[in-house]
Amino acid sequence: MGALVLQHMPPLPVMCTLLGLLIWAVTSDLSSRRIPNALILAGLALAWQAQCLALGWRAGSVACLAGAGVGLALMLPGHLLRMAGAGDVKLMAMVGAFFGAAGALQVGLAAMLAGGGLSLLWLALRPGAQRFNLRWLTLCLAQPGVWLPGRRQRAVRERMPYGVAIALGCAAVLWLSV
C-alpha cells in the first residue's frame, strides 16, 4: 500500500469540498449524462486556491496546472476515440488539479480500474448498451462525424456514466492515503 500514498495529502476541508463536487458530478452524470461546466470551473478555482494555500502561490499554481494537465492527458485519448465524453475529461482534469501530477496519475489508475469493473456491470445489466468492437473503432476514426448506434441521443443514453468511475477512483485514493 505504500506506493499509493499522495505526496501531499489535501487538508480535510479540501477533501470534503472535492467529495461534494464529485457527488454533484455523479448525480448529474447519472441523471442527464452531463457534467456541468459550472461545476468544473468552481472545482478548478477551489483546487487552485487550495494548492496555493498549501504550497505557496508559485508552487501551488504549478501543482494545480500539472495535475490538471495530467488528468486531461489521461482522459483525452478516450474522448478522441469517443469512449469518454468531454465532461468526463474535464472532471478528471479538475480532480487532477486537486491532487497534483502524481496524485492525478494515481486517481486515473484507480478510476480506470473502477471503470473496468463498472463497464462489465453496465454491459451485464443493460443488454442494449453500446459495445466496443473493431468495426466501430475503424469507422469512428475514418469518419469522425459518424455515430454507429444511430442517433447521437441514443448513443449518449446508452453510454456508461464514467463520472462514477472517476469519483470511485478518487475516493479510493483518498481512503488508501489516510
Side-chain angles (χ1 to χ4, degrees):
M1 297 289 169
L4 251 175
V5 176
L6 295 172
Q7 288 176 343
H8 93 84
M9 185 70 173
L12 185 61
V14 174
M15 288 190 298
C16 291
T17 302
L18 174 60
L19 291 176
L21 289 168
L22 288 171
I23 289 170
W24 179 14
V26 166
T27 56
S28 177
D29 203 9
L30 286 171
S31 65
S32 66
R33 299 295 188 274
R34 299 179 83 51
I35 298 173
N37 287 334
L39 177 145
I40 303 299
L41 292 174
L44 286 171
L46 289 169
W48 178 73
Q49 181 182 20
Q51 292 283 15
C52 287
L53 286 173
L55 304 173
W57 186 85
R58 184 168 290 166
S61 296
V62 169
C64 185
L65 285 173
V70 168
L72 183 77
L74 287 173
M75 292 294 292
L76 195 57
H79 177 65
L80 294 175
L81 293 174
R82 297 178 187 233
M83 293 186 283
D88 301 325
V89 176
K90 293 182 281 187
L91 181 65
M92 188 61 211
M94 182 200 78
V95 168
F98 274 95
F99 283 98
L105 282 172
Q106 293 173 358
V107 171
L109 175 62
M112 288 177 195
L113 291 172
L118 286 174
S119 65
L120 293 175
L121 182 65
W122 182 260
L123 289 174
L125 296 176
R126 297 186 54 112
Q130 177 180 349
R131 286 168 174 76
F132 180 81
N133 62 38
L134 190 58
R135 180 174 176 266
W136 177 79
L137 176 63
T138 55
L139 280 175
C140 285
L141 290 176
Q143 301 172 351
V146 172
W147 281 90
L148 285 184
R151 295 188 179 91
R152 185 179 191 283
Q153 280 200 313
R154 179 174 159 221
V156 168
R157 188 175 58 243
E158 291 176 352
R159 195 179 294 162
M160 184 186 84
Y162 201 75
V164 176
I166 294 171
L168 288 174
C170 182
V173 168
L174 286 173
W175 182 65
L176 290 173
S177 297
V178 174

